[in-house]
Amino acid sequence: MKNTWRIGVAGLGTVGGGLVKFLTERPHFAPAGGTAVITAVSARDRSRQRDFDISGYEWFDDPVALASSPDVDIFVELIGGSEGPAKAAVETALRLGKPVVTANKALIAVHGRELAELAESVGAPLLFEAAVMGGTPAVKMLREAMVGDEVDAVAGILNGTCNYILTEMEQGSRPFAQVLAEAQRLGYAEADPTTDVGGFDAAHKISILAALAFGCAPHYAAAEVEGVDQVELLDIKLAGDLGYRIRLVASATRSADGVSVRVHPALAPIGHPLAETRGALNALFIEGRRIGRIFIQGPGAGSGPTAAAVAADISDVMTGARRPVFQAPAQSLQPFAKIDAAHNVGKAYLRLLVRDQPGVIAAVSETLAEVGVSIDSFLQKPVEDAGGVPIVLTTHATPEAAVLEAARRIAALPAVLAPPKMLRIARV
Ligand SMILES: NC(=O)c1ccc[n+]([C@@H]2O[C@H](COP(=O)([O-])OP(=O)(O)OC[C@H]3O[C@@H](n4cnc5c(N)ncnc54)[C@H](OP(=O)(O)O)[C@@H]3O)[C@@H](O)[C@H]2O)c1
């Protein structure tokens, strides 16, 4: 058994810095008897001020050179991005048969299958616990604990920035732009927030979870993605009046027809664990055919939690744990058949802005009936400065195509002042 495992760390930002601090605080981190020691690092700027000491490590300007150094036993990639230096360095390490640990969800969601094939062809582990839900062990749960069952669905809150924004909008009665600006000031949101608020980060993560859950290849391009940037304060308030909170829900469901992977804002009933997941927390439901429902909740980001997840993967390498990168050997993985979203059946929330005149509600009800959508609840509430009368209704479970058709027809009614806003109600 090896006594010392020499770790090369590429990327010294939030996660990489966290790992350096972790191994400095726990110099005897020795899960398999041997000790993990950082020996070499790489980042963009060697002279950058960092709140940890890197003077004892060999420095590499080029992460690919670090990955190929004969003095590195485990390569840890914490740069980020699906292409460029992160991908090149991971490929280099794997080609040399070196174990790779990464937190890079974009890389695994987009190139997971080809990297898994490469890793398995050389017998090197490729581990990415920190890529989904930061320190909360979602990947291990699906890759290891759930292999005895068949998973039919995974769904949850996978982006802490979006959840923080939605929670702040709800609790402070403040609009999206104002809360986003504050989140950026406080460092909870990136200067360019598109990846988070556009739903793409959550889509990377749910694509990885879908692959692990259903034994298929990650297929990021097949994910349907809507972010929180179009969520209005008015809808948060009206959903609250109806007994719901709005959350960005990422879900992957399997049926006989294929797999549906989606990220979109959805209403969850107040009191339900998704509705009660607040601030930057993440949460996940896993539905196993035999085990039933499992719920986990915890931090999805941050230096300490993600570093602990990276350390857990390093520990797995050291203990010699060997599993396929996803649920089955990579060569046998198929990209899943994608279900047309319009066929998804679920309840929906429709918010209309109408003129204050008689007959409007009858016209809306008739239009819904024409396309076979039945109303579950109905709320008409004067709202100051709304520019009309907001009407909100929720539907019984209906194919999404019918709800969208109803929204299109309602938009054309003379008394309707703006296209209806449609939000899905989470299947919980
Ligand atoms: N932040 C989180 O909480 C979190 C949670 C889960 C997963 N992740 C994932 O972890 C990875 C790292 O995220 P992070 O938040 O730690 O990012 P970050 O704070 O922006 O740090 C990125 C690091 O990569 C370095 N870097 C950038 N381009 C490079 C290049 N061409 N060559 C070498 N080094 C380069 C940067 O160098 P300089 O320091 O010199 O600029 C920096 O140290 C990403 O894949 C991210 O998605 C992050």
Side-chain angles (χ1 to χ4, degrees):
M1 182 172 294
K2 243 174 152 42
N3 276 331
T4 303
W5 291 77
R6 298 165 300 175
I7 316 285
V9 182
L12 296 171
T14 305
V15 187
L19 183 65
V20 171
K21 289 177 198 164
F22 177 99
L23 288 172
T24 309
E25 284 161 18
R26 296 185 63 185
H28 304 298
F29 179 66
T35 308
V37 180
I38 296 176
T39 51
V41 295
S42 173
R44 207 167 13 199
D45 179 359
R46 187 176 190 172
S47 61
R48 169 171 288 203
Q49 280 290 327
R50 304 183 196 271
D51 63 350
F52 47 88
D53 182 15
I54 55 166
S55 60
Y57 311 137
E58 189 179 357
W59 174 270
F60 286 81
D61 283 325
D62 178 5
V64 175
L66 169 65
S68 48
S69 164
D71 298 326
V72 164
D73 301 313
I74 302 176
F75 177 64
V76 180
E77 184 278 306
L78 303 172
I79 296 171
S82 63
E83 314 298 325
K87 178 167 181 269
V90 165
E91 285 170 343
T92 300
L94 291 176
R95 275 197 204 102
L96 292 167
K98 284 186 197 187
V100 170
V101 173
T102 177
N104 191 335
K105 50 236 163 182
L107 179 68
I108 300 299
V110 176
H111 297 294
R113 188 201 157 130
E114 69 203 62
L115 293 174
E117 255 191 79
L118 176 56
E120 287 166 17
S121 71
V122 296
L126 168 61
L127 301 172
F128 43 85
E129 181 59 59
V132 185
M133 290 183 84
T136 309
V139 171
K140 275 188 197 300
M141 180 91 95
L142 287 166
R143 178 159 38 195
E144 298 173 23
M146 296 296 290
V147 285
D149 202 353
E150 288 152 285
V151 175
D152 286 325
V154 285
I157 293 170
L158 299 180
N159 184 277
T161 304
C162 291
N163 209 54
Y164 170 84
I165 290 173
L166 292 174
T167 311
E168 284 295 308
M169 287 172 74
E170 171 189 298
Q171 292 176 345
S173 232
R174 288 178 298 153
F176 173 80
Q178 198 181 328
V179 174
L180 172 62
E182 183 194 87
Q184 286 172 313
R185 209 169 45 248
L186 294 171
Y188 298 151
E190 304 279 336
D192 177 357
T194 318
T195 308
D196 287 323
V197 302
F200 306 108
D201 174 78
H204 285 140
K205 294 167 180 170
I206 194 68
S207 301
I208 295 172
L209 294 185
L212 289 166
F214 307 141
C216 50
H219 190 9
Y220 173 67
E224 288 170 50
V225 191
E226 259 174 60
V228 297
D229 38 358
Q230 302 303 316
V231 174
E232 292 175 43
L233 184 56
L234 177 61
D235 292 309
I236 289 185
K237 286 182 179 166
L238 293 169
D241 291 340
L242 288 166
Y244 294 97
R245 298 190 210 286
I246 299 179
R247 295 289 180 259
L248 186 70
V249 175
S251 65
T253 40
R254 172 167 60 176
S255 70
D257 300 329
V259 169
S260 163
V261 177
R262 319 182 80 184
V263 175
H264 52 67
L267 277 65
I270 292 174
H272 184 275
L274 291 184
E276 302 312 323
T277 298
R278 292 162 200 257
L281 278 180
N282 281 198
L284 184 72
F285 277 101
I286 301 172
E287 288 218 21
R289 225 167 267 186
R290 295 163 188 81
I291 295 176
R293 275 193 143 194
I294 294 172
F295 178 66
I296 52 173
Q297 187 188 54
S303 188
T306 43
V310 171
D313 279 347
I314 291 174
S315 149
D316 276 358
V317 173
M318 292 164 73
T319 51
R322 286 283 180 276
R323 288 177 183 278
V325 174
F326 295 98
Q327 286 285 11
Q331 267 194 328
S332 68
L333 297 180
Q334 298 299 322
F336 52 79
K338 185 183 158 189
I339 299 177
D340 182 350
H343 295 153
N344 277 321
V345 175
K347 298 179 181 182
Y349 157 109
L350 279 176
R351 191 247 301 161
L352 326 173
L353 197 60
V354 300
R355 284 183 222 285
D356 193 5
Q357 66 184 47
V360 178
I361 291 168
V364 169
S365 305
E366 271 167 35
T367 309
L368 286 162
E370 277 165 24
V371 288
V373 176
S374 67
I375 298 174
D376 184 25
S377 68
F378 187 90
L379 176 75
Q380 180 177 356
K381 201 175 178 197
V383 175
E384 232 176 277
D385 301 332
V389 180
I391 292 179
V392 182
L393 52 93
T394 61
T395 71
H396 286 292
T398 314
E400 199 166 306
V403 179
L404 292 171
E405 177 58 18
R408 200 184 60 75
R409 292 188 189 192
I410 288 169
L413 295 174
V416 172
L417 295 166
K421 173 93 177 180
M422 193 275 267
L423 290 166
R424 290 129 186 139
I425 297 179
R427 270 189 272 172
V428 289

